[in-house]
Amino acid sequence: MSKKIYQFEYQKYKNPSELSQEVQNLIEESKKAAEKAYAPYSKFRVGAAILLENGEILKGSNQENASYPVGVCAERTLLSFAHANYPEFKKVKLAVSVLDTDKDVSPCGLCRQTLLEYEALQSQPIEIFLHNQSGSVIVLPSAASLLPLHFNNEMLS
Ligand code: THU
């Protein structure tokens, strides 16, 4: 038997103003995206914004459905759009904002797996910024850090 320990470090800031102007802009865009969420069932509005390596910012929000499981999170709405339209540009930073809670919110399992796929594909970590209504920001170093012992394409043979 061998014991393994998984640890990762992340930061929590009280306010976006403690971060770079570039990150503040990205968070601002994710907030604007959250205002366009289609979340009539949960009333939980989430927005996401991605900074591409060409400097462009793309946005997305959660899109729900009367058939609840059909709904898509903000992160996956955005990642699919980003990769469908700009596959040639790396995804450098991702900001996620929630408008309707002061609690810390973190991506769901499906979004973590999706983020991981694109992160592995580009061989470069995607820095993640999680922002809520209280203004606090959690900074995560990568998608992989959120998903220990993950499944990936190297296991397919
Ligand atoms: N949701 C997101 O869009 N992103 C997250 O990181 C967490 C959850 C959405 C899915 C659903 O529309 C609503 O929030 C409530 O779960």
Side-chain angles (χ1 to χ4, degrees):
M1 193 273 270
S2 65
K3 247 189 197 173
K4 316 272 184 206
I5 295 176
Y6 175 79
Q7 278 184 319
F8 80 105
E9 200 179 289
Y10 66 94
Q11 293 84 42
K12 186 169 174 180
Y13 295 85
K14 286 213 170 88
N15 197 279
S17 61
E18 296 172 66
L19 291 147
S20 70
Q21 193 57 55
E22 182 182 66
V23 170
Q24 288 181 50
N25 290 346
L26 194 65
I27 289 173
E28 205 44 50
E29 292 302 314
S30 69
K31 274 170 71 181
K32 284 188 205 157
E35 275 153 25
K36 293 189 175 160
Y38 177 63
Y41 306 105
S42 70
K43 308 222 183 316
F44 190 80
R45 294 166 296 166
V46 187
I50 258 184
L51 174 67
L52 299 179
E53 64 177 344
N54 69 348
E56 238 180 289
I57 290 178
L58 308 175
K59 292 184 278 185
S61 57
N62 52 333
Q63 300 295 311
E64 297 185 347
N65 192 286
S67 173
Y68 294 176
V70 177
V72 184
C73 292
E75 295 91 323
R76 274 175 297 129
T77 302
L78 174 59
L79 286 164
S80 296
F81 176 82
H83 205 71
N85 290 287
Y86 299 85
E88 69 276 36
F89 295 118
K90 288 184 177 167
K91 298 154 188 68
V92 184
K93 295 182 199 304
L94 169 75
V96 180
S97 282
V98 290
L99 297 184
D100 305 302
T101 183
D102 278 350
K103 294 184 184 147
D104 291 339
V105 174
S106 192
C108 79
L110 290 180
C111 290
R112 291 175 192 216
Q113 185 72 29
T114 307
L115 271 162
L116 185 74
E117 179 79 19
Y118 294 122
E119 184 174 272
L121 189 66
Q122 67 182 26
S123 307
Q124 183 180 304
I126 303 174
E127 218 183 342
I128 301 171
F129 301 86
L130 306 173
H131 179 249
N132 64 24
Q133 204 185 29
S134 76
S136 75
V137 186
I138 286 176
V139 183
L140 303 164
S142 63
S145 66
L146 280 177
L147 208 54
L149 281 180
H150 51 250
F151 179 78
N152 63 28
N153 60 11
E154 285 165 22
M155 297 168 191
L156 294 171
S157 56

